[in-house]
Amino acid sequence: MTPEQTVIVQRIRSLLADEPELREVSMFGGRSIMVNGKMVVSVRKGGTLLVRVNTDQLEEYLERPEATKALMGSGREMAPGWIEIAADALSEGGPLSFWVGAAMDYNRFVARGKP
């Protein structure tokens, strides 16, 4: 992992420390954090954050200045519900906990059987 990824992953671990089914895997070109067998967030090599959110709230989330639709490769948008958060927004005191919370809301929604 890059130094940027390491710092962000450590902060995410702290935010999710009480989750019983937490694990990390390498995917999407970064370090992904899984809860209940589903990806919650992925810290990409450039220090950006890939977040999975509820599509019902997608437009609301995309109004935030640090959020954009996530891309897969060069210019191809990922499926609805995937958002990328700018690296500079993830500094200490930034909205990291907000985005991890939004991703966990979706994770719990899916865990209840409502994808």
Side-chain angles (χ1 to χ4, degrees):
M1 280 194 300
T2 67
E4 295 87 2
Q5 284 177 299
T6 301
V7 169
I8 297 169
V9 167
Q10 289 171 344
R11 290 175 54 214
I12 294 169
R13 285 180 192 140
S14 298
L15 292 169
L16 299 176
D18 294 335
E19 292 297 327
E21 289 188 46
L22 178 71
R23 68 185 181 98
E24 297 177 27
V25 296
S26 293
M27 68 169 65
F28 294 114
R31 175 70 83 184
S32 296
I33 310 297
M34 313 282 284
V35 175
N36 301 319
K38 305 275 186 208
M39 191 188 97
V40 177
V41 295
S42 184
V43 183
R44 292 179 155 182
K45 287 183 183 173
T48 62
L49 187 70
L50 182 63
V51 182
R52 179 67 168 112
V53 297
N54 192 323
T55 56
D56 292 345
Q57 296 170 279
L58 183 62
E59 293 308 315
E60 171 190 339
Y61 290 140
L62 289 172
E63 289 177 8
R64 295 180 61 106
E66 70 273 15
T68 58
K69 289 183 179 179
L71 299 178
M72 180 185 301
S74 56
R76 240 179 60 213
E77 285 185 9
M78 292 182 74
W82 292 99
I83 295 176
E84 188 164 3
I85 309 306
D88 59 357
L90 300 174
S91 61
E92 198 68 41
L96 179 63
S97 63
F98 172 84
W99 289 111
V100 171
M104 282 305 300
D105 287 346
Y106 180 74
N107 184 278
R108 290 181 188 109
F109 179 74
V110 171
R112 290 191 305 265
K114 301 174 183 171

